[in-house]
Amino acid sequence: IRLERLHRDGLLVAPLDRREDFFRVHQVIRDALDESFQRKDRRAHREVHQRASAWFESTGDIDRAVEQALRVGDVEHAERLVVQHGASYHTTGRTQTVKRWVENLPRQDVLRSPSLCLVAAVGALGAGDAGGIRL
């Protein structure tokens, strides 16, 4: 009911369906709420995002799984996902997604991982950007 009221008042909330059962909040609000949550309880914040990452992975939404892992600095999980799914994303035309994943990982973690270096290199070569292999 609160979300419906916010939507009617034009306050950064958009319905996701015609019946207005599901809503999406604006990115700015989401980020502010997430930052507030992190300040109040870092451990719970990390756990929620790790659980979200695992759930997205279980549903096959690898892009969101990587995003959730990176939001809380869970580089090990993000790296595993990128290495495990990078090749299939490259071969199905989602090279830019893989490029974004690699760019959002800490540079030192990419450089210490031969697997991540390979994923990055394959992506750059697949995109015809041999000069893009700047690790």
Side-chain angles (χ1 to χ4, degrees), residues 96-113:
Q96 290 303 314
T97 300
V98 179
K99 181 179 179 186
R100 178 173 35 84
W101 292 344
V102 172
E103 288 173 350
N104 286 326
L105 284 161
R107 187 171 191 271
Q108 69 273 12
D109 290 310
V110 174
L111 292 174
R112 72 157 175 73
S113 169

Side-chain angles (χ1 to χ4, degrees), residues 118-133:
L118 182 60
V119 168
V122 167
L125 291 173
D129 183 16
I133 306 172

Side-chain angles (χ1 to χ4, degrees), residues 33-81:
L33 290 171
D34 190 61
E35 187 176 312
S36 175
F37 179 32
Q38 182 180 13
R39 276 194 313 268
K40 288 182 182 187
D41 192 339
R42 282 179 105 49
R43 189 171 46 177
H45 176 262
R46 182 174 175 79
E47 183 180 315
V48 165
H49 282 286
Q50 287 175 320
R51 287 176 53 202
S53 179
W55 184 82
F56 281 123
E57 180 181 7
S58 74
T59 65
D61 192 342
I62 305 307
D63 190 28
R64 285 191 179 163
V66 170
E67 176 188 334
Q68 291 296 314
L70 290 174
R71 279 183 88 89
V72 293
D74 190 350
V75 176
E76 277 185 32
H77 188 214
E79 177 181 347
R80 183 182 60 76
L81 291 168

